[in-house]
Amino acid sequence: MSTALRIQQLNKHFANGKHALRDINLTVQRGEMVALIGASGSGKSTLLRHVAGLVVADGASDSLIEVDGRCVQQGGRIHRDIRQVRAQVGFVFQQFNLVDRLPVLMNVLVGLLHRTPRWRGWLRLFRPHERALALEALARVGIADCHAQRASTLSGGQQQRAAIARTLVQGAKVVLADEPIASLDPESSRKVMDILARINREDGSTVIVSLHQVDVAIKYCPRVVALHQGRVVYDGPSAALTPGLLRELYGVQADEILTGANPLPSAAAPAVSPVAGWMPPLAQAA
Ligand SMILES: Nc1ncnc2c1ncn2[C@@H]1O[C@H](COP(=O)(O)OP(=O)(O)O)[C@@H](O)[C@H]1O
Ligand SMILES: [Mg+2]
């Protein structure tokens, strides 16, 4: 296996002095599906934004972030070839980040802009085969029939599926999803997680998904990285994450990630074997 993501010695202080990430070292192999869990404020978004090159690490440090062997940033400086790296990285946001007034198909075609000559992008002159690619991506996420609608007319779950279709069209090898289901109802959440798992399985894309709730992480991701106050406090099989261990790691904050405020419908077949007896102890512990 080769490395999809390498993070070394990552530290981040924000301008207000907040030490949001502390000595993060993390390696993810190609084709993995990894959950990034932690209470709100633990640093999940900040970490993913560093990987996408949207935020720079502390200056004058030994930090290094590489995606697919290419440097994103080093020592607090974004690499000069960042555009090439960004083309490999798809970002899925909690709030979807679609252009509301544009049709869904056009929103998905935005995923192609990094390889479309600028003037064609500006003039929105996408070619027929590019439109076909976007329609195919929309079909894969199950919303091809919405392609002509304005993005704003879609439900939250459909908008998030369109955002995932955009990463498909982009041809992203690494998909970073930052709490993609936090704003969705349980059924839409299940669909979005199923789609991310399918992209991982069928396309071999590396998926790193931050999640607020541990039950969803365990259901879909064989590996969990747990953040607490900017530090990695656990990195290992999701199956080994017991409520007891989570309480050890998080103390009173454990309840925030143990109680599934947004539990998925139980009808979905788990992609990963859940821990035997996981749900009942959770319910008792709550
Ligand atoms: N731009 C910023 N300026 C100052 N502090 C920030 C900024 N962004 C995030 N933080 C702080 O960094 C910490 C981690 O935030 P974040 O990565 O958003 O956590 P999470 O995504 O796990 O909820 C929090 O304490 C948050 O308040
Ligand atoms: Mg966040």
Side-chain angles (χ1 to χ4, degrees), residues 130-149:
E130 293 171 330
R131 286 168 177 271
L133 201 67
L135 275 173
E136 193 185 311
L138 284 169
R140 272 190 85 190
V141 301
I143 53 166
D145 49 344
C146 302
H147 73 274
Q149 285 176 236

Side-chain angles (χ1 to χ4, degrees), residues 205-257:
S205 306
T206 308
V207 176
I208 303 174
V209 52
S210 78
L211 294 161
H212 204 80
Q213 278 92 27
V214 76
D215 56 341
V216 181
I218 289 173
K219 188 164 179 171
Y220 285 93
C221 304
R223 176 180 172 194
V224 168
V225 173
L227 284 180
H228 183 45
Q229 296 175 356
R231 278 185 205 286
V232 174
V233 290
Y234 177 83
D235 179 0
S238 56
L241 263 185
T242 60
L245 177 58
L246 281 162
R247 286 190 195 287
E248 238 172 74
L249 300 174
Y250 287 101
V252 287
Q253 272 195 323
D255 288 334
E256 190 184 329
I257 43 182

Side-chain angles (χ1 to χ4, degrees), residues 40-41 43-46 94 178-179 210:
S40 53
K44 303 180 296 297
S45 299
T46 304
Q94 178 180 338
D178 191 10
E179 299 215 39
S210 78

Side-chain angles (χ1 to χ4, degrees), residues 127-203:
R127 301 206 161 127
H129 76 271
E130 293 171 330
R131 286 168 177 271
L133 201 67
L135 275 173
E136 193 185 311
L138 284 169
R140 272 190 85 190
V141 301
I143 53 166
D145 49 344
C146 302
H147 73 274
Q149 285 176 236
R150 283 179 175 215
S152 58
T153 64
L154 266 55
S155 71
Q158 289 170 328
Q159 290 195 41
Q160 195 59 296
R161 287 194 269 162
I164 296 173
R166 185 175 55 193
T167 73
L168 289 175
V169 161
Q170 183 190 343
K173 292 191 181 132
V174 175
V175 176
L176 308 174
D178 191 10
E179 299 215 39
I181 60 170
S183 313
L184 304 181
D185 62 85
E187 183 58 27
S188 302
S189 297
R190 185 185 63 75
K191 283 187 182 143
V192 163
M193 288 305 299
D194 283 350
I195 288 165
L196 287 174
R198 227 177 59 223
I199 290 171
N200 167 254
R201 207 171 48 237
E202 293 174 3
D203 302 359

Side-chain angles (χ1 to χ4, degrees), residues 38-99:
S40 53
S42 58
K44 303 180 296 297
S45 299
T46 304
L47 180 57
L48 292 176
R49 291 168 62 81
H50 274 81
V51 175
L54 301 172
V55 182
V56 282
D58 287 351
S61 66
D62 297 329
S63 66
L64 173 69
I65 301 179
E66 285 177 352
V67 170
D68 263 332
R70 286 172 188 257
C71 182
V72 174
Q73 54 173 293
Q74 184 163 22
R77 293 176 81 108
I78 296 287
H79 197 266
R80 61 179 180 281
D81 293 334
I82 186 69
R83 281 172 65 87
Q84 285 177 20
V85 190
R86 282 215 183 108
Q88 313 283 308
V89 179
F91 209 107
V92 177
F93 298 86
Q94 178 180 338
Q95 293 304 338
F96 329 128
N97 284 27
L98 301 180
V99 183

